[in-house]
Amino acid sequence: MLQHQKITLETPGMVLFDPVTLAAFIEQQQIKAIDLLQYFNDFPAVGNAAIAQGCLLPVYYISPWDYQLVFNDGAAFSTQPPLLDTVLDIVLPLKITSSSLIVTDLFGIMDFDLDYCLNFPPAHERLGVDAQISVAPGNYAVRVAKFIDRQDSDLENRVCGYEFLLQPVASLPAMPDLDIDDIAYDIDGLMQA
C-alpha cells in the first residue's frame, strides 16, 4: 500500500519516529531534556543508539522546502524514471510500536511534545510541518529514494521528495558503518530550472 503526505520543512531536515517507541527510549535513557536534537548532539552515543534501535530516523541535511513523501510497504519502489533521482545505498532501522509514524521537521524533536504526537491533530489544525501515517507494528528495514520532476520549470510547484520503502523484518537491520550526517539525502538541483 502507498501512502502519500506533503510536508513543508522550515529547518534543514526531518525525522521519522513512532512516538511510543521514542518515548520508551527517552524513559529508558532517563532523558529530561525536551530539545532532543541538542541532547543527541551533546551525547552522540545516545543519539546513535536511538537511531540504531529504530527509535528515530533522521533525514538531514536537506533544504527547507515543500516535499512530497511516499510511504511504501511493497517490495519495490513505486517511483520510476524520469522522476526517480537516486536510490540511496543504505538500509536503516525503524521500530513501530503504536501503528503511528510521525514525520516532522527538526522542530518536532527540538521541542518534543509526546502528548501532541500521541494525540496528533487533524491536518486542518496543523501547520504543515508534520504528518502522520499508519504503519503496522513491527521492525522495518527502510530504504530511501529521492525523486524530482526536472522537466517542470515551475520550481515552487514541481514534484520532488522522498519515497520510503518500509520492509518488515524479524529483527532490525544493523546500522551502516557511516556517520548519519554523511548520508546524501539532499536533492541535487532542487532550486534550479
Side-chain angles (χ1 to χ4, degrees):
M1 177 173 77
L2 299 178
Q3 297 182 64
H4 297 263
Q5 290 288 336
K6 186 173 183 179
I7 189 169
T8 299
L9 297 186
E10 297 179 355
T11 61
M14 62 182 158
V15 289
L16 291 72
F17 60 88
D18 176 308
V20 173
T21 304
L22 183 55
F25 180 82
I26 290 168
E27 184 175 335
Q28 176 208 18
Q29 296 291 322
Q30 300 179 347
I31 299 171
K32 303 298 182 200
I34 61 169
D35 186 342
L36 297 179
L37 184 61
Q38 185 63 53
Y39 187 90
F40 293 151
N41 282 331
D42 292 343
F43 302 96
V46 178
N48 290 339
I51 297 167
Q53 293 175 29
C55 305
L56 193 68
L57 195 159
V59 177
Y60 52 81
Y61 297 93
I62 62 176
S63 300
W65 201 257
D66 292 340
Y67 292 102
Q68 302 289 329
L69 306 179
V70 179
F71 298 90
N72 179 351
D73 63 0
F77 286 106
S78 65
T79 307
Q80 297 297 316
L83 289 182
L84 184 66
D85 185 53
T86 307
V87 174
L88 298 177
D89 190 25
I90 53 168
V91 178
L92 298 166
L94 183 65
K95 181 176 182 176
I96 302 295
T97 306
S98 70
S99 300
S100 175
L101 178 62
I102 303 292
V103 184
T104 180
D105 75 358
L106 295 179
F107 282 127
I109 60 166
M110 292 169 70
D111 186 15
F112 183 65
D113 184 345
L114 178 59
D115 186 58
Y116 174 84
C117 293
L118 292 175
N119 301 290
F120 207 69
H124 68 276
E125 294 179 16
R126 293 183 276 114
L127 299 175
V129 296
D130 52 24
Q132 177 187 39
I133 65 160
S134 296
V135 178
N139 295 320
Y140 289 86
V142 181
R143 297 191 65 215
V144 183
K146 305 184 287 188
F147 60 87
I148 184 169
D149 183 357
R150 295 190 190 283
Q151 304 305 311
D152 188 347
S153 60
D154 183 359
L155 297 183
E156 297 297 320
N157 296 301
R158 70 180 175 189
V159 174
C160 67
Y162 299 89
E163 181 171 350
F164 298 92
L165 189 63
L166 306 169
Q167 299 179 308
V169 290
S171 57
L172 291 171
M175 271 299 296
D177 187 23
L178 53 77
D179 187 330
I180 200 81
D181 294 344
D182 293 338
I183 299 173
Y185 284 116
D186 207 24
I187 296 174
D188 293 336
L190 181 67
M191 294 174 250
Q192 299 170 350

